Amino acid sequence: MTQKPIIQIENLTKIYGVGDIQVKALENVTMTVHEGEFVAIMGPSGSGKSTLMNILGCLDRPSEGKYRLAGEDVSEMDKIQLAIIRNQKIGFIFQSYNLLPRTTALENVMLPMVYNRGNDIPDDEQRQRALKALEQVGLAERVNHQPQELSGGQCQRVAIARALVNKPVLILADEPTGNLDTKSSVEIMSILTKLHEEGKTIVMVTHENDIASYSQRIIRFRDGQIDTDKPNGHKPMLQMKKEVDHELS
Amino acid sequence: MNSRKVIRIAWEGLNRNKLRSLLTMLGVIIGVAAVIIMVAVSAGTEATIAEQIQGLGTNLVFIQESFTRMTPGQRQTGNGLTFEDADAIKENIPGISGVVVEQNASETVKYGGQSIDDVSVLGTTIDFPEVRDMTIAEGRYFTQTELDRKSKVAVLGATLAEELFGSNTAIGQVITVGSVKLTVIGVMEEKGSTGGVDYNSNVFTPITVVFAKFNRDPFARMMGNRVRMIYVAVENEEDIEDTIYQIELLLAKRHEVTLDTLDFTVTTQDDIIETQESTTAAFRNLLGWVAGVSLLVGGIGIMNIMLVSVTERTREIGIRQSIGATPSDIRRQFLTEALLLSLVGGLIGVISGIAGAKIFGAVGDMRTVVSISSVIIAFSSAAAVGIFFGYFPANKAAQLDPIEALRHE
């Protein structure tokens, strides 16, 4: 591998609670994700994949171990520094979209730029960037719609645009198709595949094999530890993908 | 994040729940309006009283009997203030434009077939019109000779003359006051009520006539030539202090007392205004505090709603945190919302307070004076209330854990 590492975690442990009720959600996890990889994280509930996502997303800090994001050690950062990292380096895609209600798609996508620190982007440029991101996910027609006026798939596409707008080094998708029907799921996965082809680094949690099959590499968790970590041998549901691509074009 | 963006985000937050925002502001609106209206009402009362005192005349000095200098067991010495004291002041003290003593009686006035009960008969001296800034509309006031001779003459107030004579001339007519026949020699020009007394329905007559002829209350009769108050008009305002001292010296000598044991007090209009003001100021402060408490209650309302809002919008907070809002971004957002609520509420309160004060003044029989300082104080208290009561909920929002917040339904 010549690509530079984006995620480097070493001996990562996360313990919840104190004393007798201590729970080890993650134990001694070591893994590396390189630039441009599309990784699926799988595992039963309670296997520690959500905890890992929270730590990868800088929403939480490890109890022990190191986490380097694009070469920067974030495991010792304080709340404010972590917020800045989330803003600048990470794009989140959640199962339940997590868009601000009663706020237009455009404003939702502009939100990460509102919290930019140091480099205040002019309003005009913010708009242009947000419009471009919405175009990328095929929602140029719907920029002034509010989430309640959009379908689930469309909401998730707004969320993807929001994740992209600050040009993050890492896109984290937590069950991105969990609330969607098959057709919308395929749409979302084709967008993620396209982003992957453009060179974005994507880490996605899912428990559906079909969805995981879009990735290059699948890491399975069990009881807070990595069970298996291997390249994806399957091809995605090509037939369905073609149909959707046809419809989209 | 610049402050323009913070304000925009906060404004959008409030806009999403207009009815609630309005209801939350209501507490502040009522508080601010109450402060302004209450202060305006008491300031109006104050101004009215000051005007009434000023309306008595200009550069007035009041001499009143006082019993406070007596030690226990000591009896009132001398004759107290008398009509003669007034004469002595007029003769001996330079720089005064007039001295007036008054003695009241209440009598039935008859003319032709008409009879009016309980007319106030005011016995005065010749300087009365000048000292009280009153002018004669028709005829003349009585003279010193008439005063000395106890001439049976009368000057009528404008309203009384109108009632008795209509459009006919009053001068030279004879009216019956009590059992005494008085010849009308003049009619006063109409004057607004001053010092709470309406002089337009009065009969003015030489004080000597009142002493000699009219029923006075038993206490007044017992007092003989004693008067309750002597009014002295001083020519120049800057001489007032000096004149007071000279009056004290003169009367002390006449009453055979020392300056330390004066049996009378000399006060100025300013003294009276000051006393009145300190009374109304206490009243005004009380009203101000009551209104301030309602502002405080408004602030608690803001805190209450902001706490509900923070809980309700936990997920929104989580979303903002996940895309890079720092604790201080979140704190600023909610603090700005609270501040906007109180400032907009304060502004509406100021407008409705001023309007309310004007309406009170126009509709109620009440004078109101809106003071700029009460507006400023009320508005800035509203802002302070917003910051103070907004801080706790805002801090609570800022401390939320992003993972918990995102999980919140």
Side-chain angles (χ1 to χ4, degrees):
Chain A
M1 283 262 186
T2 52
Q3 301 283 42
K4 67 173 183 180
I6 295 295
I7 297 171
Q8 288 169 284
I9 54 180
E10 276 168 48
N11 302 321
L12 197 81
T13 299
K14 180 69 186 179
I15 302 167
Y16 290 114
V18 282
D20 289 345
I21 52 161
Q22 268 192 0
V23 177
K24 275 191 179 170
L26 287 175
E27 200 174 354
N28 266 326
V29 176
T30 300
M31 64 181 252
T32 304
V33 175
H34 289 90
E35 191 173 17
E37 274 192 286
F38 186 177
V39 181
I41 292 174
M42 300 189 74
S45 45
S47 61
K49 58 186 196 305
S50 292
T51 306
L52 181 73
M53 282 301 266
N54 287 339
I55 291 171
L56 291 181
C58 293
L59 290 167
D60 206 352
R61 281 183 298 186
S63 308
E64 282 163 41
K66 280 260 175 282
Y67 172 25
R68 287 174 172 279
L69 178 66
E72 198 172 358
D73 186 359
V74 297
S75 40
E76 301 294 331
M77 283 186 173
D78 64 21
K79 275 186 178 178
I80 296 163
Q81 290 170 308
L82 288 177
I84 297 169
I85 292 289
R86 288 197 296 272
N87 183 245
Q88 298 295 317
K89 303 271 170 85
I90 297 167
F92 283 100
I93 301 164
F94 300 97
Q95 178 176 0
S96 48
Y97 331 128
N98 278 340
L99 300 177
L100 289 189
R102 280 169 285 187
T103 306
T104 64
L106 185 67
E107 285 168 328
N108 262 297
V109 175
M110 283 166 72
L111 207 55
M113 293 185 281
V114 169
Y115 292 108
N116 270 3
R117 224 147 285 267
N119 54 329
D120 244 348
I121 308 165
D123 281 6
D124 243 20
E125 200 191 325
Q126 286 192 16
R127 275 183 88 79
Q128 291 312 315
R129 271 171 70 170
L131 284 170
K132 211 181 132 207
L134 281 164
E135 222 167 274
Q136 261 184 291
V137 296
L139 277 181
E141 315 281 287
R142 297 258 191 294
V143 291
N144 288 319
H145 286 60
Q146 298 185 353
Q148 64 272 21
E149 302 161 346
L150 297 171
S151 71
Q154 289 169 331
C155 282
Q156 193 62 296
R157 285 196 267 162
V158 175
I160 295 173
R162 183 181 64 185
L164 291 174
V165 80
N166 256 354
K167 301 186 175 83
V169 294
L170 173 66
I171 291 170
L172 288 175
D174 190 357
E175 304 264 16
T177 60
N179 285 5
L180 299 177
D181 58 32
T182 316
K183 192 179 154 209
S184 302
S185 299
V186 175
E187 279 174 22
I188 294 302
M189 290 320 296
S190 9
I191 291 171
L192 289 182
T193 308
K194 198 177 88 194
L195 292 174
H196 166 57
E197 281 161 5
E198 287 166 7
K200 295 265 186 286
T201 313
I202 305 169
V203 173
M204 172 180 73
V205 165
T206 183
H207 59 263
E208 289 172 74
N209 285 318
D210 286 348
I211 298 300
S213 66
Y214 284 87
S215 68
Q216 290 177 305
R217 173 183 168 193
I218 299 176
I219 304 174
R220 287 180 190 275
F221 272 76
R222 185 171 292 278
D223 301 329
Q225 285 174 313
I226 293 174
D227 189 25
T228 62
D229 180 354
K230 49 191 176 190
N232 182 12
H234 302 277
K235 283 286 161 203
M237 304 173 290
L238 270 179
Q239 188 54 40
M240 190 125 189
K241 184 176 185 294
K242 269 180 191 158
E243 276 171 30
V244 171
D245 282 348
H246 183 71
E247 266 176 51
L248 281 174
S249 64
Chain B
M1 204 165 40
N2 61 39
S3 47
R4 196 168 52 86
K5 276 180 189 162
V6 177
I7 291 168
R8 204 181 62 202
I9 290 173
W11 181 256
E12 281 161 5
L14 295 177
N15 241 336
R16 261 180 248 141
N17 216 328
K18 286 193 186 72
L19 181 63
R20 176 196 286 182
S21 303
L22 198 70
L23 289 174
T24 310
M25 282 191 288
L26 208 55
V28 178
I29 294 173
I30 291 171
V32 168
V35 169
I36 291 171
I37 292 174
M38 286 186 169
V39 173
V41 166
S42 60
T45 313
E46 218 167 280
T48 307
I49 290 169
E51 239 168 54
Q52 283 175 349
I53 294 164
Q54 293 294 357
L56 291 174
T58 41
N59 296 343
L60 280 190
V61 166
F62 308 90
I63 306 160
Q64 269 175 297
E65 263 188 56
S66 83
F67 303 93
T68 53
R69 298 287 179 183
M70 280 166 63
T71 53
Q74 185 189 350
R75 297 195 53 144
Q76 181 74 20
T77 54
N79 297 317
L81 280 183
T82 61
F83 176 51
E84 287 73 30
D85 284 336
D87 273 344
I89 290 168
K90 196 175 178 183
E91 277 161 30
N92 296 312
I93 294 177
I96 56 178
S97 54
V99 177
V100 168
V101 287
E102 288 177 1
Q103 185 62 52
N104 263 309
S106 182
E107 295 290 347
T108 301
V109 175
K110 290 180 189 143
Y111 174 75
Q114 296 178 77
S115 170
I116 304 171
D117 289 332
D118 296 326
V119 173
S120 172
V121 179
L122 192 62
T124 68
T125 50
I126 58 164
D127 294 331
F128 179 81
E130 195 191 333
V131 172
R132 284 300 175 81
D133 288 339
M134 290 179 80
T135 41
I136 310 286
E138 225 186 311
R140 58 178 179 83
Y141 212 68
F142 51 81
T143 61
Q144 186 64 44
T145 318
E146 283 166 327
L147 182 75
D148 293 341
R149 288 188 186 159
K150 301 176 190 172
S151 299
K152 290 170 186 164
V153 292
V155 176
L156 303 182
T159 314
L160 184 66
E162 172 83 28
E163 272 176 60
L164 289 175
F165 302 103
S167 54
N168 299 325
T169 177
I171 312 294
Q173 305 295 332
V174 176
I175 57 172
T176 311
V177 178
S179 57
V180 185
K181 289 189 186 314
L182 299 179
T183 307
V184 179
I185 56 166
V187 175
M188 290 288 195
E189 198 145 88
E190 190 160 344
K191 199 184 183 195
S193 89
T194 53
V197 182
D198 179 11
Y199 285 124
N200 293 323
S201 312
N202 275 20
V203 173
F204 302 92
T205 185
I207 192 168
T208 48
V209 176
V210 175
F211 281 138
K213 301 288 183 185
F214 291 117
N215 292 323
R216 288 173 275 145
D217 58 77
F219 181 65
R221 210 176 301 152
M222 193 185 76
M223 301 243 288
N225 275 357
R226 282 164 75 168
V227 290
R228 291 191 187 165
M229 194 182 280
I230 300 174
Y231 301 80
V232 179
V234 182
E235 262 163 19
N236 298 312
E237 201 184 342
E238 55 267 30
D239 295 337
I240 287 180
E241 284 300 310
D242 192 43
T243 307
I244 289 173
Y245 182 64
Q246 292 193 46
I247 290 171
E248 282 178 345
L249 278 181
L250 175 73
L251 292 190
K253 198 172 158 199
R254 286 176 59 89
H255 294 187
E256 295 167 346
V257 291
T258 66
L259 282 178
D260 292 329
T261 58
L262 292 179
D263 57 353
F264 58 91
T265 54
V266 185
T267 49
T268 63
Q269 275 163 311
D270 286 347
D271 291 337
I272 297 176
I273 292 171
E274 226 166 77
T275 316
Q276 289 288 355
E277 263 172 11
S278 67
T279 318
T280 48
F283 180 63
R284 183 184 50 202
N285 285 345
L286 182 72
L287 288 180
W289 279 111
V290 170
V293 167
S294 68
L295 198 56
L296 192 74
V297 173
I300 294 169
I302 288 183
M303 178 156 75
N304 196 357
I305 291 300
M306 289 308 293
L307 282 172
V308 172
S309 179
V310 167
T311 310
E312 220 179 54
R313 287 155 69 192
T314 299
R315 197 181 178 89
E316 176 196 326
I317 294 165
I319 294 170
R320 289 181 184 278
Q321 286 174 325
S322 73
I323 59 172
T326 60
S328 67
D329 286 335
I330 301 291
R331 186 182 299 116
R332 256 194 291 174
Q333 177 187 343
F334 282 88
L335 202 54
T336 309
E337 278 188 26
L339 192 62
L340 275 180
L341 279 177
S342 64
L343 286 184
V344 174
L347 201 65
I348 298 173
V350 165
I351 293 165
S352 41
I354 292 173
K358 299 267 183 239
I359 291 167
F360 262 104
V363 177
D365 191 22
M366 196 184 277
R367 185 165 160 198
T368 52
V369 178
V370 175
S371 74
I372 299 297
S373 63
S374 75
V375 170
I376 293 168
I377 289 171
F379 188 70
S380 41
S381 315
V385 155
I387 294 173
F388 183 79
F389 288 103
Y391 189 80
F392 175 63
N395 213 34
K396 199 182 158 201
Q399 300 302 327
L400 286 176
D401 175 50
I403 298 166
E404 293 291 326
L406 279 171
R407 221 176 270 155
H408 193 269
E409 282 307 320

